[in-house]
Amino acid sequence: MNLTKYRPLLVLGPGSSSLAAASKGFDVRWGFRWEELSAALRGAPPSTLVVVEAYAGERPGDVFPRIRELLRRFPSVPVVAVLPFRPDTVADVAVLLEWGVSEVVALGADATPRAVRARLRHAHARPFKRRLETALSRYVSGEGRVLLMAAAEVAVEGGGARELARRLRVSPPTVTERCLRADLPPPRQVQAWLRILLACSLLDDPGRTAASVAYACGYSTDRSLRRAIRSFLDTDTTALRSAGAFEAASRAFNEVLRTLRETGRERQKRRRGAGPP
């Protein structure tokens, strides 16, 4: 399976012809019921997207309890809520976005399939990118953030350093140069770190087991994931989950970036010292 092309899209309910027209490029599974969703998401890859009609089956005044529970149990899963945009739904849109829904989409005559498809693709990596952006040290440069956000999208899709170069539309040597200038590790190490951070983000989902996280992130076994976590973070998955896996991993990654930033400054000082008087 080519994970960079595999984007499962799970639709609660029958969906609509507008959504069907917009879902080109996704592996769509229609007709999910709420009681089936948790089991489907436990081992789902990070590129999985959930689409739910916000008002389907909800009683007025309930304030989307099932969507809220889904976001609580699987905060790393991008959820797209479909609802009409009207003056009386403005407050509901604000609530859904505040809870962490990745996108709110109105399907209708004004929403072309191409526009909706673009929003779906943009949404699939949003929870991970949002967590990463918040966790990064303020000393990471603008260029470094651009590279890391692109690397986050590649990690969600199961790609590596070559896919990062394609995403940025440059050659692999150019990505290496840009990482060096931005005080980042080489591209392969960047993607290895992003894979660990992604796995730790999924470990924070109470609905996932360590084995399902390993499978979702492309590790051959949960033992492989444990070895990678031991190598990068010098701990085990049990202790990591107790401490807050993503927070602990992001602290370690920021420390790596701090060391590289100091090395970069020393390199610049040496270059200035070797220049003409």
Side-chain angles (χ1 to χ4, degrees), residues 132-133 136-152 164 168-171 173-185 187 190 253 257:
L132 180 63
E133 180 66 37
L136 285 175
S137 165
R138 63 188 178 91
Y139 296 108
V140 178
S141 67
E143 171 71 355
R145 290 176 185 273
V146 168
L147 292 167
L148 290 172
M149 290 304 110
L164 176 59
L168 295 168
R169 298 182 179 179
V170 297
S171 67
T174 299
V175 179
T176 301
E177 292 172 4
R178 288 177 63 176
C179 286
L180 180 63
R181 289 198 304 269
D183 297 328
L184 298 180
V190 166
F253 185 51
L257 298 182

Side-chain angles (χ1 to χ4, degrees), residues 166-239:
R166 294 193 191 104
R167 178 63 52 93
L168 295 168
R169 298 182 179 179
V170 297
S171 67
T174 299
V175 179
T176 301
E177 292 172 4
R178 288 177 63 176
C179 286
L180 180 63
R181 289 198 304 269
D183 297 328
L184 298 180
R188 287 183 182 275
Q189 291 184 31
V190 166
Q191 289 302 152
W193 264 108
L194 266 293
R195 192 184 188 195
I196 285 289
L197 288 163
L198 177 61
C200 288
S201 182
L202 269 59
L203 283 171
D204 282 336
D205 284 12
R208 291 184 187 259
T209 64
S212 72
V213 170
Y215 169 77
C217 292
Y219 293 95
S220 57
T221 64
D222 59 334
R223 182 175 297 179
S224 299
L225 172 61
R226 295 175 194 278
R227 281 199 301 266
I229 286 174
R230 175 66 67 181
S231 175
F232 278 80
L233 304 175
D234 194 27
T235 188
D236 57 58
T237 53
T238 301

Side-chain angles (χ1 to χ4, degrees), residues 3-25:
L3 290 178
T4 62
K5 300 295 183 182
Y6 184 53
R7 293 190 180 101
L9 192 153
L10 311 183
V11 182
L12 277 89
S16 66
S17 58
S18 298
L19 182 59
S23 59
K24 182 180 179 181

Side-chain angles (χ1 to χ4, degrees), residues 10 36-37 44 62 71 155 177 201 211 219 240:
L10 311 183
E36 300 170 331
L37 193 59
D62 278 355
L71 294 167
E177 292 172 4
S201 182
Y219 293 95
L240 196 58

